[in-house]
Amino acid sequence: MEPTLFSKIIDREISADIVYEDEHVLAFNDINPQAPTHVLIIPKKPIATLNDIGESDLALVGRLTYTAAKLAKQFGFAEDGYRVVMNCNEHGGQSVYHIHMHLLGGRRMQWPPG
Ligand code: 5GP
């Protein structure tokens, strides 16, 4: 897999506003926020799309969700509510081929999404 923009952020070749990091996961502010808080939560392991998640990645993917909830509490909108989104491939609107969870909070969300 070619290094993506997000691999370069993990490797600090491209700067980002990092809000959380541990051994497995990195979270940083989206450059084009769609809500008052818009954080991208990514595994350090490069996985191109949701379709490429294997059985051995299940704990890692769980960590993305766990991190989203932890950050929502930290940012103070966990009780009001928030949205997590993972886009897959062209029709899903995926533009960076390293899986990522969008955490959007700080405003009321609309449904259905576009
Ligand atoms: P996708 O469309 O793949 O679900 O989400 C990719 C996200 O990456 C978009 O929301 C986009 O704004 C964000 N993004 C693209 N380039 C950069 C960048 O250089 N830095 C940061 N922090 N976010 C980026």
Side-chain angles (χ1 to χ4, degrees), residues 13-96:
E13 288 170 26
I14 292 176
S15 67
D17 186 10
I18 293 169
V19 298
Y20 177 80
E21 180 168 24
D22 65 27
E23 191 186 343
H24 303 285
V25 168
L26 188 70
F28 49 92
N29 287 321
D30 197 293
I31 205 167
N32 183 23
Q34 302 300 313
T37 297
H38 184 173
V39 170
L40 300 172
I41 304 162
I42 68 172
K44 289 190 172 174
K45 175 182 175 181
I47 300 171
T49 78
L50 283 178
N51 296 334
D52 301 302
I53 293 168
E55 290 258 355
S56 61
D57 300 318
L58 297 184
L60 182 57
V61 175
R63 273 178 190 276
L64 302 182
T65 315
Y66 179 69
T67 302
K70 196 159 68 175
L71 289 175
K73 288 174 197 153
Q74 197 176 300
F75 286 121
F77 52 68
E79 291 307 315
D80 281 345
Y82 55 96
R83 182 166 292 169
V84 294
V85 176
M86 293 181 83
N87 298 324
C88 183
N89 278 339
E90 192 185 342
H91 283 195
Q94 184 173 6
S95 60
V96 180

